[in-house]
Amino acid sequence: MDERVREHAETLVDWSARIEEGDDVVVTVDEGAHDLAVAVAEALGERGANQTTVYSSEEVQRAYLRAHDGEFDEDSIHELSLYENADSVLSLVGGRNTAATADVPGERTQRYDRARQDISEARLATDWVKTVHPTRALAQQAGMAYEEYADFVYDATLRDWESLAEEMGQLKEILDDGEEVRIVNEGTDLTMSIDGRTAVNSAASVAYDSHNLPSGEVFTAPYGTDGVITFDVPMTIRGRDVRDVRLTFEDGVVVDWEAGQGEAVVDEVIQTDEGSKRLGELGIGMNRGIDRPTGRILFDEKMAGTVHLALGRAYDANLPEGEGGNDSAVHVDLITDMTGESRLEVDGEVIQRDGVFRWEDGFEA
Amino acid sequence: MDERVREHAETLVDWSARIEEGDDVVVTVDEGAHDLAVAVAEALGERGANQTTVYSSEEVQRAYLRAHDGEFDEDSIHELSLYENADSVLSLVGGRNTAATADVPGERTQRYDRARQDISEARLATDWVKTVHPTRALAQQAGMAYEEYADFVYDATLRDWESLAEEMGQLKEILDDGEEVRIVNEGTDLTMSIDGRTAVNSAASVAYDSHNLPSGEVFTAPYGTDGVITFDVPMTIRGRDVRDVRLTFEDGVVVDWEAGQGEAVVDEVIQTDEGSKRLGELGIGMNRGIDRPTGRILFDEKMAGTVHLALGRAYDANLPEGEGGNDSAVHVDLITDMTGESRLEVDGEVIQRDGVFRWEDGFEA
């Protein structure tokens, strides 16, 4: 086994999920993520945690969804109780074909997601962490050779997380103190309120309310969004390629949208429910191990020099204790590249220009 | 997809597990059983059942067990509740290396099994069915080419189950009315009581208290076993080859044992607990689609012309309502070939001689 797989598993179990003896852990294993599942099992065994492995196959999912009449039972009790009784959920993303669910009608997937909202919430209530094991399908999606992609994944994942957490703390402080964020970029002039919201220093650990490995972003839950934004970083949503999505907001709600490619899936997402027309997240990428988009949101949104917004569900960690944020069955991220002529302002002050933060070398005020 | 995979899935879901709309189903997917999992998902989707897929990888299991210190928590609640709340469990056996757990200390596996007895019982309390998807590793274990093995599996599995059920009903009647069984074979003269026990007509369906696909055996729960038996059909137990096991019983308990090969794993099994020294099952194979041993108990024990005995746990279906039978953390089958000079007697009457039942052509009374 590539020694980095073992290191990845240990980072996941120790730094990210903070697994301790006796923890009840669900490990969800995608097709192609087998080797990481073996390394994770070894790490969980060493720590004396209790593991159950779930098979998370998109081909199985596709077959089920296509065959079903679409009248899904809500939150079947066996699966719900598995997650309700779990301390942690470790999702090992892999996959052997990123288009594996491309012929599932989007409306079917929407209904399925809606019927499983309690299951989804039960998962999110655990110390969940999602990570990626390099597969050939993901390498292909990223336009990279397999070995090149594996290097990319481990560069992004096996970082000095403590020191990155410290740097990201600076941005968190600015956002926590701020009231309004403005994003200006080509085809973009958007303002949103963040007053009263708490930013998450997403340092790839549940100890930081951060649930992705790799991470390396600071995010909060905006509201009252107004203006226009263009997302120029290529995306794959539900197995379909999406390019140049342009959203227009009024009073926090999407009132107009178009896409250069993949508009049908954007329609589906936006029309899921009331919450899918509002933002659940504003995120700012800070992971310098991620140097290019790969069509995989878990990496792309963390890329240093990008900003992303998510339609749909907000994370509780960004909200005042006990307050509900934007609610939705979906959470779909879209990314804009800030390394061109752009600026990110908080309360009128430029905190990033052309992708460079104000505490970095080369920043022009 | 091979059309037989789809037919297999439909037989499993409809004939075997009797899945209905709204059933909560756990599907456990071994490494290499992916294609069958896809076909099963399609069948479950069509019937409107709710499925959760568990990844059942022996390599994951090996890594976990070897890394663990052996002080296992009992019946972790997340996994227990998954099975307690399931209506059916469909286990898709596959595997890419039948020796995948060969270097796990047997004592570690025993402790793990003991710590999970409630989980095991919760699974057995569902409408569970275990079946086999042909993989190259299983073909190798059987000493067959892959295509040859696939033909073998589907010949054994895709049968006219209703008509076999009718034939097996005759043997069930004899055993239900009988008090004592005697097995005489080369190196074998064994008697056991079956008085008050109910035989199961194992027609590969939960409707017949039968939980294997393929099946094709009639089994009951014997007690008070006395004598000697030699099991000459080659077996693989916990990844290790076992040959020519010879057991000596007194008053229902194994008092002496030896094996031509694999004695260490036989020791482990017998010394698991009190119940592992007694028989939990007497089974008589009647599936003529199975024409040779393959090292896989699910097939071998159903082979027409064989008899098998299991050390360990008895099945409730064989016992009078409310009565507990032999209890153990294990249930390990051993098989003897009756097609040589042999006879099977019930209350002194020969019901099978040299592998031929008394209602079959060629039977010599």
Side-chain angles (χ1 to χ4, degrees):
Chain A
M1 184 187 289
D2 185 332
E3 192 48 43
R4 295 175 302 179
V5 179
R6 194 165 276 128
E7 220 182 306
H8 185 181
E10 283 169 2
T11 304
L12 175 67
V13 165
D14 293 332
W15 171 263
S16 295
R18 311 275 159 141
I19 302 293
E20 291 176 5
E21 192 178 339
D23 281 355
D24 290 330
V25 182
V26 176
V27 182
T28 72
V29 185
D30 278 19
E31 288 171 60
H34 174 81
D35 287 356
L36 181 56
V38 170
V40 167
E42 185 174 291
L44 292 175
E46 265 167 18
R47 281 137 196 87
N50 308 312
Q51 81 159 355
T52 299
T53 47
V54 164
Y55 190 46
S56 172
S57 155
E58 290 197 300
E59 289 187 356
V60 167
Q61 176 85 336
R62 167 190 177 272
Y64 181 78
L65 291 179
R66 282 174 60 94
H68 204 286
D69 67 8
E71 300 292 327
F72 297 102
D73 287 347
E74 290 203 355
D75 299 306
S76 48
I77 181 72
H78 66 322
E79 188 164 356
L80 181 61
S81 63
L82 172 68
Y83 291 110
E84 280 182 342
N85 288 300
D87 298 306
S88 299
V89 178
L90 308 181
S91 297
L92 315 185
V93 174
R96 295 188 295 183
N97 171 6
T98 60
T101 59
D103 64 352
V104 177
E107 185 264 351
R108 187 71 50 91
T109 306
Q110 277 175 48
R111 276 167 174 264
Y112 187 65
D113 288 346
R114 273 202 300 271
R116 293 164 58 82
Q117 220 164 333
D118 287 357
I119 291 172
S120 169
E121 275 162 29
R123 287 176 64 121
L124 293 176
T126 69
D127 282 344
W128 63 277
V129 181
K130 190 175 183 173
T131 194
V132 168
H133 181 68
T135 65
R136 282 159 183 83
L138 297 178
Q140 176 179 325
Q141 183 183 46
M144 293 189 213
Y146 173 64
E147 299 252 355
E148 182 188 14
Y149 182 69
D151 290 345
F152 167 84
V153 168
Y154 297 119
D155 280 353
T157 303
L158 306 177
R159 297 200 76 71
D160 179 349
W161 287 108
E162 297 209 51
S163 105
L164 183 52
E166 208 170 299
E167 188 196 336
M168 294 195 297
Q170 297 177 68
L171 180 56
K172 170 179 160 57
E173 212 166 291
I174 292 167
L175 294 175
D176 285 350
D177 295 343
E179 294 179 5
E180 190 184 76
V181 171
R182 183 175 175 201
I183 305 169
V184 182
N185 199 351
E186 203 187 321
T188 297
D189 191 345
L190 195 76
T191 59
M192 61 198 86
S193 178
I194 56 166
D195 195 18
R197 299 292 164 93
T198 305
V200 167
N201 173 352
S202 182
S205 169
V206 296
Y208 287 85
D209 281 317
S210 172
H211 298 274
N212 288 172
L213 175 67
S215 190
E217 61 164 319
V218 177
F219 66 88
T220 188
Y223 56 96
T225 309
D226 271 302
V228 177
I229 182 159
T230 303
F231 300 98
D232 57 351
V233 174
M235 301 280 302
T236 303
I237 299 174
R238 295 178 184 165
R240 280 166 288 179
D241 289 334
V242 173
R243 299 282 180 278
D244 295 320
V245 175
R246 188 182 161 91
L247 304 180
T248 305
F249 286 87
E250 278 177 28
D251 285 337
V253 179
V254 176
V255 293
D256 194 28
W257 66 90
E258 56 182 312
Q261 191 184 339
E263 194 163 294
V265 70
V266 175
D267 288 353
E268 275 170 35
V269 167
I270 291 178
Q271 291 171 344
T272 304
D273 50 33
E274 275 313 297
S276 61
K277 296 177 183 64
R278 295 169 182 273
L279 292 182
E281 182 189 353
L282 157 68
I284 299 160
M286 296 183 69
N287 185 332
R288 284 185 204 86
I290 304 172
D291 58 358
R292 64 193 118 173
T294 60
R296 179 72 22 181
I297 188 61
L298 192 108
F299 295 102
D300 295 358
E301 65 174 9
K302 317 306 190 310
M303 185 167 35
T306 67
V307 165
H308 60 277
L309 298 172
L311 292 165
R313 187 192 309 118
Y315 295 112
D316 286 345
N318 295 130
L319 306 167
E321 189 71 28
E323 191 174 304
N326 191 39
D327 191 24
S328 173
V330 300
H331 178 102
V332 174
D333 297 277
L334 295 159
I335 307 170
T336 189
D337 181 357
M338 302 289 283
T339 58
E341 199 165 306
S342 73
R343 59 187 199 276
L344 185 65
E345 297 176 4
V346 176
D347 298 338
E349 261 186 70
V350 178
I351 58 155
Q352 186 194 72
R353 187 185 299 277
D354 307 348
V356 182
F357 286 105
R358 71 180 190 203
W359 56 82
E360 290 182 300
D361 286 349
F363 175 76
E364 290 171 29
Chain B
M1 184 187 291
D2 185 333
E3 192 48 43
R4 295 176 301 180
V5 178
R6 193 165 277 126
E7 219 181 306
H8 184 180
E10 284 169 1
T11 304
L12 176 67
V13 165
D14 294 334
W15 171 263
S16 295
R18 311 278 159 136
I19 302 293
E20 291 177 4
E21 192 176 340
D23 280 355
D24 291 330
V25 182
V26 176
V27 182
T28 72
V29 185
D30 278 18
E31 287 171 59
H34 174 81
D35 287 356
L36 181 56
V38 169
V40 166
E42 186 174 291
L44 292 175
E46 264 167 19
R47 282 139 195 84
N50 308 311
Q51 80 159 355
T52 299
T53 46
V54 164
Y55 189 45
S56 171
S57 154
E58 290 197 299
E59 289 187 356
V60 167
Q61 176 85 336
R62 167 189 177 273
Y64 181 78
L65 290 180
R66 282 174 59 94
H68 203 286
D69 67 7
E71 300 291 325
F72 297 103
D73 287 348
E74 289 205 354
D75 299 305
S76 48
I77 181 72
H78 66 323
E79 188 165 356
L80 181 61
S81 63
L82 172 69
Y83 291 110
E84 280 183 342
N85 288 298
D87 298 307
S88 299
V89 178
L90 307 181
S91 297
L92 315 185
V93 174
R96 296 188 295 184
N97 172 5
T98 59
T101 60
D103 64 351
V104 177
E107 185 265 351
R108 187 70 50 90
T109 306
Q110 277 176 45
R111 276 167 173 265
Y112 187 66
D113 288 346
R114 273 202 299 269
R116 293 163 60 82
Q117 220 164 333
D118 287 357
I119 291 173
S120 169
E121 274 162 28
R123 287 176 64 122
L124 293 176
T126 70
D127 282 343
W128 64 276
V129 181
K130 188 174 185 175
T131 195
V132 168
H133 182 67
T135 66
R136 282 160 183 83
L138 297 179
Q140 176 179 326
Q141 184 183 45
M144 294 189 214
Y146 174 64
E147 299 253 354
E148 182 188 15
Y149 182 69
D151 290 345
F152 167 83
V153 168
Y154 296 119
D155 280 352
T157 303
L158 305 177
R159 298 199 77 71
D160 180 348
W161 288 108
E162 297 209 51
S163 103
L164 182 52
E166 208 169 299
E167 188 196 336
M168 292 195 299
Q170 297 178 65
L171 179 56
K172 170 180 161 54
E173 213 166 291
I174 292 167
L175 293 176
D176 285 351
D177 295 343
E179 293 178 6
E180 189 185 76
V181 172
R182 182 174 174 202
I183 305 170
V184 181
N185 199 352
E186 202 187 325
T188 297
D189 192 345
L190 196 76
T191 58
M192 61 199 86
S193 177
I194 57 166
D195 194 20
R197 299 292 164 92
T198 305
V200 167
N201 173 351
S202 183
S205 169
V206 297
Y208 287 85
D209 281 317
S210 171
H211 299 275
N212 288 173
L213 175 68
S215 191
E217 61 164 319
V218 178
F219 66 88
T220 189
Y223 56 97
T225 309
D226 272 300
V228 177
I229 182 159
T230 303
F231 300 98
D232 57 350
V233 174
M235 301 280 304
T236 303
I237 299 174
R238 297 179 183 164
R240 280 166 286 178
D241 289 334
V242 173
R243 299 283 180 279
D244 295 319
V245 175
R246 187 183 163 91
L247 304 180
T248 305
F249 286 86
E250 278 176 26
D251 283 338
V253 180
V254 176
V255 292
D256 193 29
W257 66 90
E258 56 182 313
Q261 190 182 341
E263 193 164 295
V265 71
V266 175
D267 287 352
E268 273 169 38
V269 167
I270 291 179
Q271 290 172 344
T272 303
D273 49 32
E274 275 313 298
S276 60
K277 295 178 185 61
R278 294 168 183 273
L279 293 182
E281 184 189 352
L282 157 69
I284 299 161
M286 294 183 70
N287 186 331
R288 282 184 206 86
I290 304 171
D291 57 359
R292 64 193 120 173
T294 61
R296 179 72 22 183
I297 188 62
L298 194 108
F299 295 102
D300 294 358
E301 65 174 8
K302 316 308 188 312
M303 184 169 32
T306 66
V307 165
H308 59 279
L309 298 173
L311 292 165
R313 187 192 308 117
Y315 295 112
D316 286 345
N318 295 130
L319 305 167
E321 189 72 27
E323 190 173 307
N326 191 39
D327 191 24
S328 172
V330 301
H331 178 103
V332 174
D333 296 277
L334 295 160
I335 307 170
T336 188
D337 182 356
M338 303 288 282
T339 58
E341 200 165 308
S342 74
R343 60 188 199 274
L344 185 65
E345 298 176 3
V346 176
D347 298 339
E349 263 187 69
V350 178
I351 59 157
Q352 187 195 71
R353 185 185 301 276
D354 306 348
V356 182
F357 285 105
R358 70 180 192 204
W359 56 83
E360 291 181 300
D361 287 347
F363 175 76
E364 290 170 32

